[in-house]
Amino acid sequence: MFALLVYLFLIIPLIIITGAAFGTDEYLRFPPQGFSLKWLANIFEVEMFVRTFKISLEIAVLGTVLALLVGIPAAYGLSRYDFVGKNFLQGFFLSPVLVPGIVFGFSLLNFLIIKYEMPVYTSLLIGHTVIIMPYIIRVISSSLENFDYSIEEAAISLGASKVKTFFVIVLPNITSGVIAAFILAFINSFNNVPVSIFLTGPGISTLPIQMMSYVEYYFDPTIAALSVVLMVMTIILMFIIEKTLGLSYFAK
Amino acid sequence: MKKNVYVYLLLLPGLIILLLFLAAPLFSTVFRTFQGNEGLTLAKYIAFFKDSYNRGVYIRTLKLALLTTLIAVILGFPTSYYISRLSRRARGLYIIFAVFPLLTSPVVRSFSWMVILGKNGILNSILLKLNLIEEPLRLLYNEFSIVIGLVYLFLPLMIMSLVGVMENIDEDLIEAAESLGATRREVFIRVIFPLSIPGLIVGSVLVFTGSITAYTTPQLLGGSNTTVLATLIYQNAMSLFDWDTASVVATIMILTTVFVTFLINKLSSRLNA
Amino acid sequence: MALLSLKNISVAYGKNVVLKNLNLDVEKGELVSLLGPSGCGKTTTLRLIGGFVEAKNGRFVFNGKDYTKIPVHKRNFGFVFQNYALFPHLTVFDNVAFGLKQRNIPKNEIKKRVMEILETVGLKDYADRSPRELSGGQKQRVALARALVIQPDLLLLDEPLSNLDAKLRVKMRLEIRKIQQEYNITAIYVTHDQEECFSISDRVAVMNNGVIEQLDTPQKIYNLPRTEFVANFVGFENFIELELEAKERGGGGFYKLKNGQRFKVTHFNGREYERYVKGAIRPEEIDILNEGGGKETNTLKGIIGISTFLGKHYQYVVETEVGRLLVNGSAHKRYEKGERVTLYFPEDKIVLV
Ligand SMILES: Nc1ncnc2c1ncn2[C@@H]1O[C@H](COP(=O)(O)OP(=O)(O)OP(=O)(O)O)[C@@H](O)[C@H]1O
Ligand SMILES: [Mg+2]
């Protein structure tokens, strides 16, 4: 009973926001009056939303791909080998998740943009790549752990080199882990605020940042409509995670 | 497990990225706070804490984080216990509904509370309709709304941490305790609670440090006189262009999270010993 | 010259020395088993031969060449793993074909050889299945086929049957032995199941604590163990300290026990000229006589202690002047606790260790 109430607390706000997205009123009200899709349509009228959506998508995809390229070998090394300083390096690779985002974002602004005059877009991409890395390493490592090492040894004993074994035997068997890692990383990048907020510049901003500045000035249901779009996206991605990694992964 | 020097080659690209773009920027931020005209100094910290406004912000941040953690524990603990005793399928359903908010944009989640708590928001309209109040309450842009937003943000995290540990508590253990004459209450206090402590610790660390460092929620749900550390960093950096103070706040934030994590872990290992 | 020889091999994980100056020679076409308790280093020895583990000291010579530093994928050894290690994303056919593909063998040749070997292991009709759809025994056959199809110079098997049920184990070990002899493949077989080991091997290496205690035919290992460990491992439960008194012409001799009693021993196993030895004997080889029965030599007086019924016989703990002994007696007559008896130790059943 208590649990149900707590869950109502978790769910109701999201339902309310969904309801509010389809009202006809000029300002946010609940229950909404009437039903219309005009706020949904209005998202596309606000040019900044469309543009930042594209940037967010780009950064999330590029950042995730970069982090995968760097993170998969690292995860492989960390979970398959024994070496000096292993524990320390394991901690180091997971450390971005411990650093407060706001501190990291500010430091990047300071260091990359101001000190070394890096372009804003590049800095934004780098920042996202770094914060994504722990998710990649963690998910890939856990799928490697579920993949018996003796299978790799079998391939090697049959004459395949280590590199070939990785591509022909290991990779095909951890694809669901890679997909899950990709999605988890993608979501975290796409939703990120505290790092992105420092790494915006002329014409460069991300969707969550744009949404935040929008609600400071306007209080119409456009944001609610946009929220619904994002929630639908989350549901789709969650569905994929469930199919690949299993949502119980989060209870660890 | 094989020993091999080539493993460092696998780690190298990632290491370079993390050193150049994580360690170096953070170090530069922290380092500048100790830099004075002649050598290293704590002058900037002394100046920071001399300012009563800054002290207020720091204390408020800790206070709100503590409150959030407490509420999350109170709401999360019984809920997680309930979930952990459900069948696999039902548990899966509850987990889905906890993970969903977790993966939803924090902007969306904070915004939903703006809709609820706003002047023309739902809560006020309901209260007005019921004639419980004469005019809309000011529910938004204060500490109250920040705490609600933070609890809303982090409760799923607490639930997931607790469920993860609690679902491994064997049903037999509970039955064994009951067969030995323990009442439900005693079982809860003597068996379930002690066994759940690891999850409680992980959850509390996550929620507390998360609350200290959260930016989006206090920015959206807080007002001008409810500044917290995260928004203070932003103000100093982006509105006042006071990089030094921003760096000081950033360093304090890191130190505080590290210290709190350390403290809670120490406390738990003492509890276990 | 032996096909394979390990010369003074040592292996350590960190500070933990797992193999100590290990020596092993295996002849061509032989099946040699490594037998020993858990943790004694069987797998490590096998993995060293396979190339997965590096030796700290010593050399591994194969077919006259130094293989110590040759990487795994250039060795051409077939490896069969305990948990099968089939490639989960490939069909049975592709699993078996994997090694051949690495060797750039033409497609139709691959097809021919894979189908041939699948026929041999009785899985011709399963070529298109995925490993998931196979039973444990079938998986193990695929693993075997996969290791055999590359025509390996050496076949290495690490407890290949331990995940199967008892009946299937017996069936599979016969098949493995048949195929091994048919193909005349040299094989090293790790197991901790004595019966399995004895039934399948040409020779058995009993390992303990990182060294090979005895390398011999199964019959020799079973009947004439040379060390206390091996004796104990194959079921000699009684050890009596002996001191040599007089050698006999043609082997054997007279020994004195701690209590002055004399034993005659007529077994040969190379230990009979040492002064201080132990006489090992199985519980079922000791005869129980009424008190005072039997001859002067090879007997000991004892008092019956705890007894347990084991179906075929009773087993007694008998207190004697040289210590507690385990003795099996007929199921027809039960000696009571405290009864005084005389134990008789047949001279040809005592093994010196
Ligand atoms: N990767 C490793 N790192 C450290 N120690 C190891 C490793 N692998 C094995 N050992 C140790 O080496 C010793 C020998 O192990 P090995 O696997 O060869 O035993 P085994 O005879 O095959 O035993 P079992 O019958 O249980 O399979 C054991 O004490 C084990 O703990
Ligand atoms: Mg083993």
Side-chain angles (χ1 to χ4, degrees):
Chain A
M1 187 60 214
F2 183 77
L4 218 61
L5 283 177
V6 168
Y7 265 78
L8 283 181
F9 169 71
L10 285 181
I11 301 303
I12 282 186
L14 299 176
I15 294 175
I16 286 175
I17 219 176
T18 308
F22 297 104
T24 46
D25 298 322
E26 286 303 310
Y27 60 97
L28 273 163
R29 222 164 72 166
F30 195 92
Q33 314 291 305
F35 176 86
S36 86
L37 293 176
K38 75 172 173 193
W39 300 111
L40 213 53
N42 194 43
I43 301 172
F44 301 95
E45 303 295 313
V46 185
E47 193 252 341
M48 273 314 278
F49 282 154
V50 179
R51 194 158 56 174
T52 54
F53 183 85
K54 275 192 198 141
I55 293 178
S56 278
L57 208 61
E58 255 172 52
I59 293 284
V61 170
L62 284 178
T64 306
V65 169
L66 270 177
L68 278 171
L69 287 180
V70 181
I72 291 180
Y76 187 82
L78 286 172
S79 56
R80 284 291 197 250
Y81 292 90
D82 232 350
F83 50 89
V84 184
K86 176 166 167 163
N87 283 336
F88 173 78
L89 283 175
Q90 219 150 20
F92 188 57
F93 272 98
L94 297 178
S95 67
V97 82
L98 298 175
V99 177
I102 191 95
V103 172
F104 179 52
F106 168 67
S107 300
L108 281 184
L109 168 68
N110 235 331
F111 192 74
L112 295 186
I113 297 184
I114 302 204
K115 204 161 170 187
Y116 289 102
E117 300 185 349
M118 287 248 251
V120 173
Y121 191 88
T122 319
S123 310
L124 186 63
L125 181 59
I126 289 172
H128 280 234
T129 307
V130 170
I131 54 166
I132 281 169
M133 198 98 83
Y135 297 98
I136 304 270
I137 304 246
R138 246 205 308 233
V139 176
I140 301 282
S141 293
S142 89
S143 45
L144 279 172
E145 252 136 55
N146 291 330
F147 184 65
D148 198 334
Y149 187 45
S150 58
I151 297 175
E152 280 172 63
E153 290 184 332
I156 293 171
S157 79
L158 290 168
S161 68
K162 292 211 120 176
V163 178
K164 183 152 189 200
T165 300
F166 180 80
F167 283 104
V168 181
I169 300 297
V170 180
L171 212 49
N173 283 297
I174 58 166
T175 37
S176 60
V178 174
I179 293 170
F182 187 100
I183 288 175
L184 219 53
F186 177 89
I187 291 179
N188 273 287
S189 162
F190 195 89
N191 287 342
N192 182 279
V193 170
V195 175
S196 309
I197 195 139
F198 289 101
L199 305 176
T200 55
I204 301 174
S205 184
T206 66
L207 185 64
I209 306 298
Q210 190 58 39
M211 285 167 76
M212 277 182 79
S213 51
Y214 188 88
V215 294
E216 268 181 46
Y217 303 106
Y218 311 95
F219 206 66
D220 66 34
T222 312
I223 292 289
L226 193 49
S227 298
V228 171
V229 172
L230 292 184
M231 284 193 280
V232 170
M233 192 174 92
T234 308
I235 290 172
I236 294 171
L237 295 181
M238 256 176 82
F239 183 76
I240 303 176
I241 295 183
E242 167 66 20
K243 282 274 163 279
T244 52
L245 187 63
L247 287 172
S248 57
Y249 169 81
F250 292 95
K252 259 185 212 156
Chain B
M1 289 287 161
K2 285 201 89 172
K3 278 212 154 106
N4 202 324
V5 265
Y6 297 115
V7 63
Y8 294 108
L9 278 181
L10 294 173
L11 304 182
L12 200 62
L15 269 182
I16 291 175
I17 289 191
L18 290 186
L19 282 175
L20 282 184
F21 303 121
L22 179 75
L26 286 178
F27 178 78
S28 128
T29 298
V30 172
F31 185 69
R32 73 182 292 159
T33 64
F34 296 107
Q35 245 176 346
N37 290 331
E38 52 233 51
L40 302 177
T41 147
L42 289 175
K44 287 171 191 158
Y45 289 89
I46 294 167
F48 177 83
F49 278 113
K50 268 202 175 138
D51 187 334
S52 67
Y53 176 76
N54 291 338
R55 278 204 307 274
V57 170
Y58 188 60
I59 289 168
R60 177 181 304 119
T61 309
L62 291 181
K63 185 180 77 184
L64 298 184
L66 195 65
L67 214 57
T68 305
T69 312
L70 273 179
I71 297 174
V73 169
I74 293 169
L75 295 182
F77 202 89
T79 309
S80 309
Y81 181 62
Y82 173 77
I83 296 173
S84 71
R85 297 297 111 191
L86 289 171
S87 70
R88 268 189 77 85
R89 283 192 64 136
R91 207 186 322 156
L93 201 69
Y94 272 89
I95 287 177
I96 287 177
F97 280 106
V99 172
F100 179 64
L102 215 54
L103 296 181
T104 304
S105 166
V107 177
V108 172
R109 283 190 281 166
S110 298
F111 177 69
S112 68
W113 284 99
M114 295 174 77
V115 177
I116 296 170
L117 300 177
K119 202 158 137 229
N120 301 314
I122 297 150
L123 207 56
N124 271 322
S125 7
I126 292 174
L127 292 178
L128 281 173
K129 274 222 182 83
L130 296 176
N131 285 325
L132 285 174
I133 49 173
E134 304 276 291
E135 55 187 67
L137 292 174
R138 198 168 173 282
L139 298 169
L140 210 50
Y141 309 126
N142 51 27
E143 293 184 359
F144 166 77
S145 54
I146 295 183
V147 171
I148 287 212
L150 288 177
V151 169
Y152 186 64
L153 200 64
F154 292 121
L155 184 57
L157 219 50
M158 177 67 85
I159 292 179
M160 298 308 291
S161 309
L162 282 169
V163 170
V165 172
M166 283 174 166
E167 69 185 357
N168 293 326
I169 300 178
D170 204 329
E171 191 72 40
D172 293 348
L173 220 56
I174 296 165
E175 279 167 13
E178 278 175 351
S179 76
L180 293 171
T183 62
R184 295 223 137 241
R185 228 179 85 99
E186 279 169 339
V187 169
F188 195 81
I189 295 169
R190 295 264 172 86
V191 180
I192 294 156
F193 183 74
L195 288 175
S196 314
I197 286 181
L200 201 61
I201 301 232
V202 172
S204 303
V205 168
L206 288 176
V207 174
F208 194 81
T209 54
S211 303
I212 288 180
T213 57
Y215 170 77
T216 313
T217 304
Q219 175 68 22
L220 288 178
L221 299 181
S224 52
N225 50 9
T226 54
T227 307
V228 293
L229 286 181
T231 41
L232 189 62
I233 295 179
Y234 186 76
Q235 279 165 20
N236 274 300
M238 304 309 264
S239 316
L240 308 171
F241 299 105
D242 183 351
W243 303 99
D244 276 348
T245 307
S247 302
V248 167
V249 185
T251 309
I252 290 174
M253 187 185 268
I254 293 181
L255 291 178
T256 307
T257 53
V258 170
F259 180 72
V260 165
T261 310
F262 175 79
L263 201 71
I264 297 182
N265 280 323
K266 253 271 129 59
L267 217 68
S268 75
S269 62
R270 173 148 325 161
L271 273 178
N272 285 338
Chain C
M1 217 190 71
L3 175 72
L4 169 159
S5 43
L6 298 179
K7 299 185 171 169
N8 280 316
I9 291 282
S10 294
V11 171
Y13 294 109
K15 284 227 169 78
N16 177 16
V17 180
V18 179
L19 299 183
K20 297 160 199 151
N21 288 323
L22 185 123
N23 287 286
L24 176 66
D25 283 332
V26 177
E27 304 293 334
K28 186 156 177 30
E30 243 190 332
L31 192 155
V32 171
S33 287
L34 303 179
L35 178 67
S38 186
C40 69
K42 304 179 298 282
T43 299
T44 307
T45 308
L46 202 70
R47 292 171 58 79
L48 175 107
I49 296 169
F52 296 118
V53 172
E54 246 177 68
K56 218 174 72 185
N57 294 310
R59 284 197 325 141
F60 166 33
V61 177
F62 188 82
N63 213 356
K65 284 192 285 267
D66 188 341
Y67 261 52
T68 320
K69 292 270 184 278
I70 301 227
V72 184
H73 63 278
K74 303 230 169 92
R75 289 193 185 199
N76 198 38
F77 293 169
F79 214 115
V80 179
F81 295 84
Q82 179 172 1
N83 53 358
Y84 325 123
L86 299 182
F87 309 129
H89 62 302
L90 299 180
T91 60
V92 167
F93 183 93
D94 288 328
N95 260 282
V96 178
F98 187 86
L100 297 176
K101 282 186 187 146
Q102 307 311 312
R103 286 161 177 73
N104 296 322
I105 289 167
K107 255 212 168 113
N108 45 355
E109 165 92 13
I110 291 184
K111 176 139 202 213
K112 197 176 125 247
R113 279 169 65 176
V114 170
M115 289 321 284
E116 230 172 68
I117 197 85
L118 283 180
E119 171 116 53
T120 309
V121 298
L123 287 178
K124 201 173 46 139
D125 300 332
Y126 293 78
D128 294 324
R129 292 237 189 146
S130 115
R132 253 188 312 273
E133 304 162 334
L134 298 179
S135 71
Q138 291 166 337
K139 280 184 198 161
Q140 200 49 274
R141 281 168 221 246
V142 177
L144 190 63
R146 185 177 70 178
L148 285 172
V149 78
I150 59 171
Q151 298 172 342
D153 297 328
L154 180 67
L155 185 61
L156 303 169
L157 307 104
D158 190 357
E159 308 204 19
L161 307 181
S162 64
N163 284 342
L164 306 179
D165 65 55
K167 261 212 177 118
L168 199 54
R169 264 207 302 268
V170 174
K171 186 162 169 249
M172 282 296 293
R173 76 186 185 213
L174 290 175
E175 279 185 42
I176 290 181
R177 179 60 162 164
K178 199 178 113 231
I179 293 172
Q180 181 257 336
Q181 287 178 330
E182 223 172 83
Y183 285 60
N184 192 28
I185 285 179
T186 317
I188 300 182
Y189 190 103
V190 166
T191 175
H192 59 241
D193 180 331
Q194 251 181 69
E195 186 191 309
E196 178 178 313
C197 167
F198 288 159
S199 72
I200 199 174
S201 320
D202 293 308
R203 288 192 300 157
V204 175
V206 181
M207 288 186 72
N208 179 31
N209 238 325
V211 295
I212 293 179
E213 296 243 348
Q214 187 173 356
L215 174 62
D216 253 322
T217 62
Q219 292 77 9
K220 280 250 176 82
I221 297 272
Y222 188 78
N223 295 315
L224 285 177
R226 297 191 43 172
T227 66
E228 188 174 345
F229 173 82
V230 178
N232 198 350
F233 198 73
V234 297
F236 287 78
E237 308 213 38
N238 302 302
F239 295 89
I240 302 168
E241 285 179 36
L242 303 174
E243 185 184 345
L244 182 63
E245 269 197 335
K247 287 174 223 169
E248 283 244 305
R249 222 171 239 286
F254 284 96
Y255 292 84
K256 200 173 76 188
L257 274 66
K258 279 224 171 123
N259 65 348
Q261 190 70 359
R262 295 179 87 215
F263 271 22
K264 186 180 185 207
V265 178
T266 55
H267 248 320
F268 298 88
N269 69 348
R271 300 284 303 259
E272 55 265 26
Y273 299 118
E274 290 170 35
R275 180 147 183 217
Y276 294 100
V277 288
K278 282 184 181 164
I281 187 163
R282 297 176 192 273
E284 62 266 31
E285 307 290 8
I286 302 176
D287 292 331
I288 306 178
L289 313 170
N290 292 329
E291 190 179 14
K295 290 178 277 178
E296 263 303 295
T297 55
N298 288 40
T299 53
L300 272 177
K301 292 203 177 91
I303 303 170
I304 300 282
I306 303 163
S307 63
T308 39
F309 181 58
L310 297 180
K312 273 189 222 131
H313 49 250
Y314 284 103
Q315 184 163 76
Y316 303 96
V317 176
V318 183
E319 295 288 348
T320 72
E321 284 180 328
V322 298
R324 259 179 211 178
L325 299 176
L326 279 179
V327 183
N328 292 354
S330 142
H332 302 302
K333 175 175 169 33
R334 179 168 193 168
Y335 290 91
E336 294 304 321
K337 193 171 172 176
E339 221 171 309
R340 292 176 179 277
V341 294
T342 294
L343 302 177
Y344 172 63
F345 304 79
E347 55 186 44
D348 57 341
K349 298 293 198 259
I350 302 172
V351 177
L352 300 176
V353 298

